């Protein structure tokens, strides 16, 4: 079974199927068709309804890879794709031949481009041969100063940005997003940290597009995510998914279509569940995240003409990276509801992306169970100060926080990276004092997904405390991840001075958190003491074990101190508003006693015992008939809170934890984004070709034990830094 049929027919009298066989066979064959040949019109206009097996498509790809070096057919079909898209933008008729040709061009180019990328033999992707032969006559409408990849990326982004998604244009929008996934998949073949000499043709082309087009593309990708356009299943014009006439070779090459580029057809129609999703929105978000998190070192050559070597101040202080225009566009996006006078979206610093923040907020709230949406929310609250401010002034913070907290609640069924992302988002939000105050004012009628007990009329702040302490408990027993502990405690510490009417259950969990960490600390201390009594002459392994144990003991000492700081902050700044916290401390006061003389804790515990002495003495002064009940104890605490004076307590500087990215965030984000893309987009890439992350990593949502396995580029290793001001 060859790439070219044995008896090709290329005449007006041949049947469409046989002509399609010939046209595709000629595309992958040895003969080079000039760019101006009428062959290209016939190839792109003819309905390519072929029934090819995956083996035959693979063989056609091999033929193409052998011959493309001198036929340059990939470069030529990409030029034709660019021309078709330019025509589509200039015409309002979505049923025109330009749309049919653009669909066929993007189908064919995606299949063969993916094969070339997946099997590239060099790091600079010379095997793509993205240029015309010197002998080729270049038409006047092909800019000589532009590379072909720049031309096609410009045309794709221009179409995506300018043409609205409709019943008639949906499919072309979707296939162009698939094409961009394929074109940008060169990143899978290299590591996340790119130097100045590393080449990714389509990435470099995307990054060199004009700012106006970058803003247009970012806006449309986010609008697609917000509006979530559905595939028009009932549209008669979408015969491509019917059992009859189907233009487009990619849909008729057997199961390989799903493996090469497209989602399987049953993604759209297999069930009402799947049909309710928006593949266009999903792929728009995939492309957005890939572009936004691209990062490349400029290298010293970039500065050689700008450096005054006689002045040490002019030398680069550290490795420099180019400014990613897509990241900048996302960071500078503004709410469309403000500055309405500025209809063009211009700002003092130049044009910016205008978005409906309200709709974006609501869409994120609906989709945060998905990791890609959580990653988008992180990118916005970390990079875009306007969006972060918008989130912080919303009165319905539960829209975002409830799905985030539910993700933490279901930690055993989530990936470790997803848990980290959620915790970072909560940490960023907790850096704002108004957020910490408002979450305690928002009362939830119920929390249906919380199974341990019925939570009725619980504040959002109390629920956060419950879930964060529960996450630490889960981590203690399963993951044993120090970084996760740190993040949870950092968020709790930021919240502590603003706690208001913490629920009884949340207060108990907070004191139990100290008890859990204390038991872990005591266990480590006992093991360390036992090792110290071992006779001299122990092995290097035992010495190393003792050092590790001492380091872990030091870490848990810090954790215990942070929890004591949290309790101190509540007692110091808001004791009268938190009688349940006082009750929880009184109820479990024995857990603090063993640490009363500990040099790291004694000052903090002095405050706690001063509070205990005050309320214990008030309890002793009460004349009680019968046994003390919880209600009676609480009533005494509430009454005596009015006479409590904070004057006797030692005041400590408030802990304030902030999130800061490390200098090489791409080491985490680029592999993470691509793992999510491969798991969700239908782009099936050969594991043997992937160097960006270990190819044996599961690409689906990890559950159970898989969720406990650290992955390459975990945030705990290289992505986060938490600072505590002195």
């Amino acid at each position: 079974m060859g790439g070219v049929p044995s008896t090709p027919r290329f005449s007006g009298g041949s049947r469409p199927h046989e002509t399609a066989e010939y046209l595709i066979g000629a595309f992958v064959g040895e003969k080079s068709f000039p760019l101006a040949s009428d062959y290209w019109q016939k190839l792109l206009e003819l309905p390519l309804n072929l029934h090819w097996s995956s083996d035959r498509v693979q063989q056609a790809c091999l033929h193409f890879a052998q011959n493309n070096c001198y036929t340059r057919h990939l470069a030529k079909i990409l030029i034709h794709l660019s021309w078709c898209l330019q025509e589509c933008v200039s015409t309002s008729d979505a049923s025109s031949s330009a749309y049919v040709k653009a669909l066929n061009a993007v189908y064919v180019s995606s299949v063969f481009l993916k094969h070339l990328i997946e099997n590239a033999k060099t790091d600079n992707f010379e095997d793509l041969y993205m240029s015309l032969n010197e002998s080729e006559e270049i038409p006047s409408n092909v800019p000589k100063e532009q590379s072909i990849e720049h031309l096609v990326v410009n045309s794709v982004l221009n179409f995506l940005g300018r043409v609205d998604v409709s019943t008639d244009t949906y499919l072309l929008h979707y296939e162009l997003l698939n094409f961009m996934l394929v074109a940008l998949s060169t990143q899978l073949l290299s590591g996340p940290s790119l130097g100045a000499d590393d080449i990714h043709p389509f990435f470099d082309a995307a990054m060199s597009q004009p700012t106006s087009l970058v803003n247009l593309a970012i806006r449309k990708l986010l609008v697609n995510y917000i509006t979530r356009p559905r595939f028009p299943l009932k549209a008669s014009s979408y015969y491509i998914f019917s059992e009859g006439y189907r233009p487009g070779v990619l849909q008729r090459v057997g199961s390989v279509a799903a493996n090469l580029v497209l989602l399987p057809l049953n993604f759209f129609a297999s069930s009402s569940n799947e049909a309710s999703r928006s593949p266009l929105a999903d792929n728009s978000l995939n492309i957005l995240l890939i572009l936004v998190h691209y990062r490349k070192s400029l290298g010293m050559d970039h500065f050689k003409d700008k450096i005054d070597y006689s002045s040490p101040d002019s030398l680069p202080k550290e490795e420099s990276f180019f400014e990613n225009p897509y990241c900048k566009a996302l960071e500078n996006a503004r709410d469309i509801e403000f500055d309405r006078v500025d209809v063009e979206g211009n700002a003092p610093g130049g044009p910016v992306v205008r978005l409906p923040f309200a709709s974006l907020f609501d869409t994120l709230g609906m989709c945060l169970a998905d990791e890609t949406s959580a990653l988008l929310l992180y990118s916005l609250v970390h990079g875009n100060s306007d969006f972060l401010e918008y989130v912080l002034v919303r009165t319905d913070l539960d829209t975002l926080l409830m799905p985030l907290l539910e993700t933490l609640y279901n930690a055993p069924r989530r990936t470790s990276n997803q848990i980290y992302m959620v915790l970072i988002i909560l940490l960023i939000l907790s850096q704002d004092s108004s957020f910490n105050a408002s979450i305690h004012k928002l009362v939830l009628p119920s929390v249906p997904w919380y199974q341990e007990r019925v939570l009725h009329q619980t504040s959002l702040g109390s629920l956060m405390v419950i879930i964060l302490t529960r996450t630490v408990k889960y981590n203690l027993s399963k993951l044993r991840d120090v970084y996760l502990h740190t993040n949870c405690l950092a968020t709790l510490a930021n919240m502590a001075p603003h706690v208001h009417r913490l629920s009884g259950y949340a207060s108990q969990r907070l004191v139990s958190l100290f008890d859990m960490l204390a038991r872990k600390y005591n266990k480590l201390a006992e093991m360390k003491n036992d090792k110290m009594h071992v006779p001299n002459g122990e092995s290097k392994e035992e010495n190393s074990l003792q050092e590790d144990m001492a380091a872990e003991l030091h870490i848990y000492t810090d954790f215990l101190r942070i929890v004591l700081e949290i309790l101190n902050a509540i007692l110091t700044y808001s004791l009268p508003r938190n009688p349940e916290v006082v009750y929880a401390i009184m109820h479990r006061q024995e857990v603090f006693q063993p640490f009363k003389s500990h040099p790291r804790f004694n000052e903090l515990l002095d405050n706690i015992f001063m509070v205990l002495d005050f309320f214990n003495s008030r309890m002793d002064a009460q004349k009680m008939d019968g046994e003390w009940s919880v209600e009676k104890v609480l009533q005494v605490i509430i009454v005596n809170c009015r006479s409590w004076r904070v004057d006797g307590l030692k005041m400590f500087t408030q802990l304030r934890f902030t999130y800061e990215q490390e200098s090489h965030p791409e080491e985490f984000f680029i592999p993470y984004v691509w793992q999510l893309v491969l798991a969700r987009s239908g782009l099936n890439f050969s594991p043997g070709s992937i160097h960006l992350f270990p190819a044996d990593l599961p690409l689906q949502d990890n559950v159970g034990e898989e969720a406990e396995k650290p992955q390459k580029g975990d945030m705990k290793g290289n992505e986060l830094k938490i600072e505590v001001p002195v």
Side-chain angles (χ1 to χ4, degrees), residues 367-368 370-379 404 421-422 425:
C367 301
L368 278 176
D370 184 76
E371 285 189 70
T372 51
S373 290
L375 186 49
L376 173 61
L377 177 58
Y378 162 81
S379 303
L404 293 176
M421 290 309 309
V422 171
I425 292 167

Side-chain angles (χ1 to χ4, degrees), residues 134-193:
E134 293 180 4
S135 59
E136 181 89 29
E137 185 178 344
I138 302 176
S140 58
N141 54 349
V142 177
K144 294 182 180 179
E145 70 280 0
Q146 266 188 16
S147 66
I148 291 172
E149 53 268 30
H150 187 283
L151 175 68
V152 73
V153 168
N154 181 280
S155 300
V156 170
L157 294 181
N158 196 47
F159 178 90
L160 293 174
R162 295 189 185 280
V163 178
D164 291 334
V165 178
S166 67
T167 298
D168 295 323
T169 65
Y170 182 103
L171 185 59
L172 185 51
H173 272 274
Y174 179 69
E175 292 312 324
L176 288 171
L177 291 170
N178 276 324
F179 169 80
M180 286 298 292
L181 282 181
V182 170
L184 300 176
S185 66
T186 55
Q187 200 168 46
L188 289 168
L189 277 65
S190 63
S193 297

Side-chain angles (χ1 to χ4, degrees), residues 90 164 209 600 642 664:
S90 63
D164 291 334
Q209 298 299 321
R600 288 288 308 279
R642 299 167 191 163
H664 289 277

Side-chain angles (χ1 to χ4, degrees), residues 501-502 570-586 611-612 614-619 622 632-647 649:
R501 297 197 176 282
L502 199 66
I570 297 173
L571 298 177
T572 303
Y573 298 102
S574 55
L575 184 149
R577 299 190 299 274
N578 289 285
E580 292 283 5
V581 176
V582 176
Y583 176 84
I585 291 173
M586 291 181 68
V611 171
L612 284 170
F614 176 85
F615 284 97
N616 282 332
S617 64
R618 299 305 187 275
M619 294 282 294
Q622 293 289 320
K632 290 177 180 176
V633 174
L634 260 177
Q635 190 57 40
V636 172
I637 292 172
I638 291 169
V639 168
N640 285 281
C641 276
R642 299 167 191 163
S643 58
W644 164 256
R645 295 290 178 270
V646 75
D647 305 343
L649 296 184

Side-chain angles (χ1 to χ4, degrees), residues 97 122 187 232 322 328 358 370 556 568 584 651 666 673 699:
S97 64
T122 60
Q187 200 168 46
F322 86 108
K328 183 179 179 182
D370 184 76
Y556 276 89
N568 260 271
M651 303 297 288
E666 74 280 1
V673 168
L699 293 178

